[in-house]
Amino acid sequence: MRAARWSPELMAGQPGTERGVLRHYVGGRFLPVDATFPKISPVTGRMILEVAEGDEETVDTAVSVARRALHGPWARTSPDDRAALLRRIADELERRHEDLVAAEVADTGKSVSQARTLDVPRGAANFRAFADLIAGAPLEAFQTTTADGRRALNYAVRRPVGVVAVVVPWNLPLLLTTWKVAPALACGNTVIVKPSEETPSSATVLAEVMDRASVPEGVFNLVHGHGPGAAGELLTSHAGIDAITFTGESGTGSAIMRSAAAGLKAVSFELGGKNAALVFADADLDAAVAGTTRSVFTNGGQVCLCTERVLVQRAVFAEFRDRLTDQARQQRYGWPADPHTQVIPMISHGHRDKVLSYYHLATQEGATVLAGGGVPTFGDDRDGGAYIQPTVLAGLGSDARVNREEIFGPVCHLQPFDDEDEAVQTANESDYGLAATVWTSDVHRAHRVAPRLEAGLVWVNSWFLRDLRSPFGGMKASGIGREGGRHSLDFYSELTNVCVEL
Ligand SMILES: O=C(O)C(=O)/C=C/C=C/O
């Protein structure tokens, strides 16, 4: 298999770029480039690509072609037609597998092995999941005899919501973009994708995939943009948008909600988290240590589902603490293309500074640093990147800022608890409510504890194990709504209930 190496040369010659510049894709074509912004490698700190900067005119054009497409041939497609198209897109994503791996790795510095096993396969999987769902989607229907003896048949039909803004973050770019675009298209909507300015590459390859799969023009649109007041904000506040789906920080979520309020736009938010792991004394400690190492350090801790608070029953606290600390110290550094690499850089120097500021805050708050706590030195180009040490902290209470605020890096804080109630209460002491893990060998305890946790997602003796039909999302500051299975169909479609008197 061709080694993954991302460079403008690789992108050059693909329709998505011009002179190594990533382009917008609007109305079925890649637009000529004028203003651009740089894409910096998180591995070396060097500029690797230029990206077209979307302005008001770009966004306006995208919204109008997307609206026009809503009423073109696309409107006359059946669920089966759209399922067939989603399957073609999945096939084309699989054909571009290595380019997508290279794109994700270049943009994020994540390991090739993770991109090959987690990020990129989920692209095709998301499209296949929603193709299956929409092809066999039953209609909701009831037969009624009312109290006054009248009889009726009620059935509900789905129609698309309309033009959907898809705003996605930089941590799992392809996974999250396809997680939203697939159901949106399945339900007959048209979309405008605004990827993070940090991760423009896989979205551009996705546009090439759409082009190659002959998605009708205007159905899928891609607009790049950089920073506040740019394409992202222009898109989510645009009068021509009917619904907004966003994954990212809670603060950005509430800003989007404010701009959506005027037009009463439907919003689907998957936001931040401060996820807890509950490790009971009766857990299989090997599994709990391995699983928590994964849930803390995967993708450099840059996954909304990652664990940042580890609550351990007192009887096994010392052993678990020492074993997790060893795992943190043994995390392997390496270049992204090295299949054994586990430590990846933060997405940018700015984000690394944020994570590092929490490492310093933790010591100011009185924490013990059991592993990491700083920045590694390589003695090569990676010293120009945004690397940071995997870190394990202990010694603080639930009220510490390090235990309340999302850090979004390769770091966790360990805290002991005595009994089940204390574990649940401590886990629930959070403004967030996204994900949790429960490690126990007592099946009754698992079923007792999981539903008591104020989280949208609870994994028992596992983490990030996904059935794409199950409800996915968070409560409290972690989000609004659920994605996955029919929950996505409900967000990406309007229902019309038809009542016929019999
Ligand atoms: O696994 C999923 O479907 C998903 O949405 C993951 C989200 C992770 C966010 O950081």
Side-chain angles (χ1 to χ4, degrees), residues 100 269 294 354 470:
L100 287 160
F269 286 162
R294 245 186 92 231
K354 171 192 167 185
S470 58

Side-chain angles (χ1 to χ4, degrees), residues 118 122 126 169 171-172 175-176 179-180 247-248 270-271 299 302-306 406 408 434 457 459 464-468 472-473 483-484:
L118 171 63
R122 271 292 301 277
N126 287 340
N171 59 326
L172 302 171
L175 183 154
L176 285 166
W179 179 236
K180 297 166 184 298
T247 293
E270 205 267 279
L271 304 175
N299 206 49
Q302 299 169 120
V303 180
C304 52
L305 308 167
C306 276
E406 180 177 55
F408 218 65
L434 182 56
L457 304 153
W459 277 282
F464 209 177
L465 179 55
R466 296 278 292 111
D467 181 319
L468 305 186
F472 183 94
E483 298 176 283

Side-chain angles (χ1 to χ4, degrees), residues 259-284:
S259 67
L264 291 174
K265 307 289 168 66
V267 294
S268 164
F269 286 162
E270 205 267 279
L271 304 175
K274 192 65 182 181
N275 308 316
L278 285 69
V279 181
F280 288 93
D282 60 20
D284 167 346

Side-chain angles (χ1 to χ4, degrees), residues 177-199:
T177 303
T178 54
W179 179 236
K180 297 166 184 298
V181 170
L185 298 190
C187 295
N189 298 284
T190 58
V191 299
I192 302 161
V193 172
K194 197 332 243 160
S196 164
E197 62 271 18
E198 298 291 357
T199 50

Side-chain angles (χ1 to χ4, degrees), residues 6 19 66 74 95 122 174 231 302 319 329 349 394 427 472:
W6 185 256
R19 306 186 320 281
W74 183 238
R95 198 180 69 78
R122 271 292 301 277
L174 184 73
Q302 299 169 120
E319 181 186 353
R329 290 192 182 125
H349 289 105
F472 183 94

